[in-house]
Amino acid sequence: MSGNKILYRPTLPFKARKAVFEKLEDIADVASMSPEDRERYDNSVKVYRDYLVTMDAAEQKGIKEGLEKGIEKGMKEGTQRAQLKIARNMKAKGIDNQSIAECTDLPLSIIEGL
């Protein structure tokens, strides 16, 4: 390589460089542990990772259950709105309240209140 050429090496921002050196320091600390300390460290890391996986699974389960309940609630509300719309239309056509209640499965008290 000739002496005039300068290689461009992008530098990391200070925060990123600091994080890299902190990670290297952690690795060096772990490498210098006694076998007993290393085993305890490895076990604690395993427990922590298991905890993270468990929490992630619980979060995903909660999201899934929340979506299912939300969809169920939305379907129920949509059905109720449709039943009320049908009942109003039937009532506007002069159909008696008892027949409307039988056709829409709405309580007679609700139909009378329309």
Side-chain angles (χ1 to χ4, degrees):
M1 179 182 272
S2 67
N4 293 357
K5 294 185 179 182
I6 298 175
L7 292 176
Y8 173 73
R9 286 189 297 179
T11 58
L12 295 171
F14 178 75
K15 284 186 178 182
R17 282 185 280 164
K18 184 178 180 204
V20 168
F21 283 108
E22 286 175 351
K23 182 70 175 172
L24 289 172
E25 186 179 5
D26 289 344
I27 292 170
D29 288 345
V30 170
S32 65
M33 289 180 178
S34 69
E36 295 83 20
D37 288 342
R38 177 63 188 253
E39 185 176 347
R40 283 194 293 271
Y41 172 79
D42 289 342
N43 286 337
S44 69
V45 168
K46 181 185 179 308
V47 167
Y48 178 69
R49 288 179 180 159
D50 289 348
Y51 170 78
L52 291 178
V53 169
T54 301
M55 293 306 292
D56 185 51
E59 180 181 13
Q60 294 303 317
K61 182 181 177 187
I63 289 170
K64 182 181 176 188
E65 288 176 2
L67 284 172
E68 289 171 356
K69 287 180 182 179
I71 290 170
E72 183 180 325
K73 182 180 178 185
M75 294 294 290
K76 185 177 179 180
E77 288 176 4
T79 300
Q80 288 174 342
R81 285 183 187 153
Q83 287 173 315
L84 288 171
K85 183 178 180 181
I86 292 167
R88 283 189 194 99
N89 290 340
M90 292 175 77
K91 196 164 188 170
K93 293 188 184 275
I95 299 174
D96 67 285
N97 290 346
Q98 185 61 41
S99 296
I100 296 172
E102 290 172 7
C103 292
T104 61
D105 291 327
L106 290 171
L108 196 55
S109 60
I110 290 177
I111 294 167
E112 290 170 351
L114 294 177

